[in-house]
Amino acid sequence: MKRITDKGKAGMFTALFTAVICVSGFISFPLPFSPVPVVLQDMMCFLSGILLGPVWGFLSTLLYLVLGLIGLPVFSGGRGGLTAFLTSPTSGFILGYIAGSLAAALIMISTGKTKKYVLTALSGAVVAEIIIFILGIIWFMKITGFGIEDTLAKAVIPFIPGTVIKILIVIPVVKWIYPQILNRMYMVKDE
């Protein structure tokens, strides 16, 4: 038996996740003390990696970035365009979405899709968020000129409770959706 990706369905899921990531950019809550809003995009990006795998999950987040760079208002707060990307203190987080999605996917496939996939997905989500924060911090400091203490106070510490909640949401979502996507994205063929 060999599992073969149904490219049509995988492409459909990729487009669907790209759309979900884009729409989640409109669900942002600005904080009065920080230029970084609370968003759901990070969760959607690492879920795309966990659920779709390294190729299709990476493509969904990369497509989101490309759509934003060409000017569609898909970045948080309805922003879009190359200039908005290059001058925003939050663009490092967006780059982190792509790297985090890929990391989560690679962690997910490293176990061979065993029955422990929920625990593996949780690990992938944690690693993805760490990557998102690291790239976000580096970019934030470069654009704003803030030191590490101010950056942590404005772009990291206030977001930790929400990040923990987003990571915990992965458990029921992955438990319910992951088997469904696997059954639809792959065909089993006799060798």
Side-chain angles (χ1 to χ4, degrees), residues 1-2 188-191:
M1 302 278 244
K2 183 178 180 184
V188 178
K189 295 206 173 182
D190 292 327
E191 293 188 286

Side-chain angles (χ1 to χ4, degrees), residues 89-114:
T90 63
S91 295
F93 293 98
I94 295 171
L95 294 174
Y97 297 163
I98 297 168
S101 173
L102 183 59
L106 292 172
I107 289 169
M108 196 66 184
I109 66 167
S110 70
T111 61
K113 297 177 180 66
T114 65

Side-chain angles (χ1 to χ4, degrees), residues 30-99:
L31 299 176
F33 56 85
S34 174
V36 180
V38 175
V39 296
L40 294 178
Q41 287 172 314
D42 55 338
M43 181 174 74
M44 298 308 157
C45 289
F46 67 66
L47 274 174
S48 73
I50 289 168
L51 297 172
L52 302 182
V55 173
W56 304 101
F58 174 77
L59 284 175
S60 70
T61 54
L62 182 62
L63 184 55
Y64 153 74
L65 174 62
V66 169
L67 292 173
L69 290 176
I70 64 171
L72 294 179
V74 297
F75 299 146
S76 64
R79 296 175 303 109
L82 183 60
T83 304
F85 179 82
L86 292 175
T87 59
S88 173
T90 63
S91 295
F93 293 98
I94 295 171
L95 294 174
Y97 297 163
I98 297 168

Side-chain angles (χ1 to χ4, degrees), residues 170-186:
V170 165
I171 296 169
V173 169
V174 168
K175 198 169 193 172
W176 178 62
I177 295 178
Y178 186 68
Q180 304 297 322
I181 289 179
L182 282 181
N183 290 336
R184 286 168 178 77
M185 274 184 60
Y186 298 100

